[in-house]
Amino acid sequence: MSDRALPRALITLLVAAAAVITLAGIKAVDAIAGPVVLALVLTIAVSPIRRWLTRRRAPAWVVVAVPFTIVMVLLLGMVATLTAAVAELAVLVPDYTDEFRRLVADAQAWAAAHGVAPQVNKALQSLDPGKILEFAQGLLSGVLGVVSSVFLIVVLLLAMSLDAPIISRVMAAASAERPALTRALTTFASKTRRYILVSTIFGLICAALDVVALYLLRVPLPLLWGVLALITNYIPNIGFVVGLIPPALLALLTGGVRQLVLVVVAYMVINVVVQSFIQPKFLGDAVGLTTTATFLSLIIWTTVLGPLGALLAIPLTLLVRALLIDSDPGAKWSGALLSGEIPRD
């Protein structure tokens, strides 16, 4: 056997193959992997509360119970709000069937007047008023499916909350023997907490302003779309667009094109200004990922874990970076490609 190192191209292919196999394995168990990561992120998010209670020498059961209760109240409250609002949407949608038919007829008339009737009619043939109700019912089923996963998330949260104090002591003890790995995991937890905190604060601001705007514009179910705006704020790059589509379509059904334009303008003024100009100044280097890396992480994790992967794209990428790059002193230039920052010697 030769002692010569493997060619760099072969190493790259092996790493790519290993990544594909790993992602395929995660996708095969996405029903478990998604809740596990969500529970981990939520446990990390409330760890400052746990440390605060520990410093004040609170009883062990209080150190576990208080952070767990806070997370559960927020999680179950959001799920309950979504479930109730989507159920109301499923009841409300059939009332707009006639309006939907009128909009289709107007679109056909406009297409005929401008000589593009064949193309528009072909697109409109796939639209059916009944599909609006089917969409609402499918959305309700999806929310109820998330509710079924909540039980698994609750169990995982409880287990991780019980183990969190032990893990903290293990990490502190391991810092002497594994300083790079310990530092990488600590950085991951710190960046994840800051990302969640800043995204939540500005998500609440955007959601509140969106609810007020939709209420003033008389768009039905403003609370549902506000909660949706809060959730989609955690989706990098395209979250704003995802949160805009449902209320914009409902505005079109209730008030026509003018109402649609007003909703789009209101969302753009609120969300683009807050998320594109104000939020990044507070977020700073919390993420440590380039725009390209962020967008690619969104695509990859959404493909692997579905909608939950879109919400957890940033924390998942930070975790992978901590385990594979930041924990390896020889991989600092690989980290530079992800963060866009020149490593310090």
Side-chain angles (χ1 to χ4, degrees), residues 112-123:
H114 292 79
V116 291
Q119 296 86 342
V120 173
N121 289 335
K122 184 177 181 180

Side-chain angles (χ1 to χ4, degrees), residues 181-261:
L181 177 60
T182 304
R183 186 168 53 251
L185 293 176
T186 302
T187 302
F188 154 71
S190 176
K191 287 187 174 183
T192 299
R193 280 194 300 271
R194 186 174 178 185
Y195 167 74
I196 294 174
L197 176 62
V198 174
S199 297
T200 300
I201 292 174
F202 284 97
L204 288 171
I205 293 173
C206 288
L209 295 175
D210 288 340
V211 170
V212 172
L214 294 175
Y215 178 79
L216 294 176
L217 292 173
R218 300 183 182 277
V219 177
L221 305 177
L223 181 60
L224 170 61
W225 310 129
V227 175
L228 181 63
L230 171 61
I231 294 174
T232 55
N233 189 63
Y234 297 103
I235 302 177
N237 301 118
I238 64 170
F240 154 66
V241 179
V242 175
L244 168 63
I245 293 174
L249 291 177
L250 197 55
L252 177 63
L253 291 174
T254 57
V257 176
R258 178 179 177 275
Q259 195 81 339
L260 168 67
V261 172

Side-chain angles (χ1 to χ4, degrees), residues 11-326:
I11 295 176
T12 302
L13 289 175
L14 290 175
V15 170
V20 171
I21 294 173
T22 302
L23 291 174
I26 296 174
K27 183 176 178 61
V29 292
D30 59 346
I32 299 175
V36 167
V37 176
L38 178 59
L40 174 62
V41 170
L42 293 175
T43 303
I44 291 173
V46 295
S47 59
I49 300 174
R50 188 180 302 107
R51 289 199 299 268
W52 182 83
L53 292 171
T54 301
R55 287 196 300 268
R56 278 152 181 78
R57 303 191 180 190
W61 69 269
V62 174
V63 174
V64 173
V66 172
F68 175 76
T69 302
I70 292 174
V71 171
M72 290 310 304
V73 169
L74 295 175
L75 183 63
L76 295 179
M78 186 174 294
V79 171
T81 301
L82 279 174
T83 303
V86 172
E88 185 177 350
L89 176 64
V91 175
L92 182 66
V93 163
D95 296 338
Y96 296 103
T97 302
D98 293 339
E99 182 64 22
F100 180 87
R101 291 196 180 96
R102 187 187 67 78
L103 288 172
V104 171
D106 291 345
Q108 291 174 334
W110 179 89
H114 292 79
V116 291
Q119 296 86 342
V120 173
N121 289 335
K122 184 177 181 180
L124 294 176
Q125 285 175 357
S126 60
L127 298 178
D128 183 353
K131 290 184 178 180
I132 303 177
L133 179 58
E134 292 177 8
F135 167 77
Q137 292 172 338
L139 189 58
L140 177 60
S141 300
V143 171
L144 295 178
V146 172
V147 173
S148 66
S149 299
V150 167
F151 296 103
L152 176 58
I153 296 173
V154 169
V155 174
L156 290 169
L157 276 171
L158 180 58
M160 291 182 183
S161 297
L162 291 170
D163 290 339
I166 301 174
I167 298 300
S168 298
R169 292 196 295 269
V170 171
M171 291 288 292
S175 59
E177 295 187 12
R178 297 288 187 272
L181 177 60
T182 304
R183 186 168 53 251
L185 293 176
T186 302
T187 302
F188 154 71
S190 176
K191 287 187 174 183
T192 299
R193 280 194 300 271
R194 186 174 178 185
Y195 167 74
I196 294 174
L197 176 62
V198 174
S199 297
T200 300
I201 292 174
F202 284 97
L204 288 171
I205 293 173
C206 288
L209 295 175
D210 288 340
V211 170
V212 172
L214 294 175
Y215 178 79
L216 294 176
L217 292 173
R218 300 183 182 277
V219 177
L221 305 177
L223 181 60
L224 170 61
W225 310 129
V227 175
L228 181 63
L230 171 61
I231 294 174
T232 55
N233 189 63
Y234 297 103
I235 302 177
N237 301 118
I238 64 170
F240 154 66
V241 179
V242 175
L244 168 63
I245 293 174
L249 291 177
L250 197 55
L252 177 63
L253 291 174
T254 57
V257 176
R258 178 179 177 275
Q259 195 81 339
L260 168 67
V261 172
L262 290 175
V263 169
V264 172
V265 171
Y267 261 66
M268 289 185 65
V269 171
I270 294 171
N271 293 269
V272 172
V273 170
V274 173
Q275 295 181 15
S276 299
F277 297 102
I278 301 178
Q279 182 173 332
K281 296 182 181 299
F282 289 87
L283 194 59
D285 61 347
V287 175
L289 298 173
T290 64
T291 303
T292 302
T294 301
F295 190 70
L296 288 176
S297 69
L298 173 65
I299 296 174
I300 292 172
W301 292 117
T302 303
T303 303
V304 174
L305 296 178
L308 195 55
L311 293 174
L312 298 173
I314 297 299
L316 277 166
T317 304
L318 292 176
L319 177 59
V320 172
R321 174 179 172 173
L323 293 175
L324 301 182
I325 297 177
D326 293 343

